[in-house]
Amino acid sequence: MPSYRLEQKAFVFSMISNAAANIEKSDGSGSRGRGRQTVHTVTSEKAQYLGAGWELVWGPVEHEESDSGVADNTVFVTRGTDGGKPVYIVPIAGDECQIGIRH
């Protein structure tokens, strides 16, 4: 199967950020630790679709002001390449994913 298009890659990372919803924050790391592990697992196990070299460069960070006890919004920044050009994807749970291409 060929590699995903950039929009499909962004969707994968968006799903990761949204998967943090309902993860309890009681263990001290909340979605942060699990989010990092999920990004690492998905990018390594699905490299044939996402391409190699994706890395987490910031986050994940969850919304801290909620009384719900779970991660309400999670955001992170991941860096990779698409067509040989550097790409940053910023998925925000509950929102659309933004794609930044730097030439």
Side-chain angles (χ1 to χ4, degrees):
M1 170 150 205
S3 179
Y4 287 162
R5 294 185 327 269
L6 185 56
E7 296 83 5
Q8 292 172 305
K9 294 174 186 181
F11 180 77
V12 169
F13 289 111
S14 179
M15 292 302 294
I16 293 170
S17 69
N18 280 281
N22 298 323
I23 294 177
E24 294 187 18
K25 297 188 246 183
S26 61
D27 68 352
S29 66
S31 67
R32 194 169 300 141
R34 291 183 187 155
R36 287 179 188 190
Q37 182 59 43
T38 302
V39 170
H40 173 73
T41 300
V42 170
T43 56
S44 61
E45 291 182 1
K46 304 300 180 186
Q48 73 269 27
Y49 305 111
L50 296 171
W54 285 96
E55 62 180 314
L56 189 63
V57 294
W58 181 83
V61 176
E62 60 191 35
H63 186 265
E64 298 286 344
E65 296 178 20
S66 173
D67 293 330
S68 68
V70 297
D72 297 313
N73 293 99
T74 302
V75 60
F76 60 88
V77 179
T78 186
R79 176 178 53 216
T81 59
D82 187 71
K85 296 179 181 175
V87 177
Y88 291 85
I89 296 179
V90 183
I92 303 170
D95 201 354
E96 293 182 23
C97 187
Q98 301 297 313
I99 303 169
I101 302 174
R102 186 179 74 178
H103 296 276

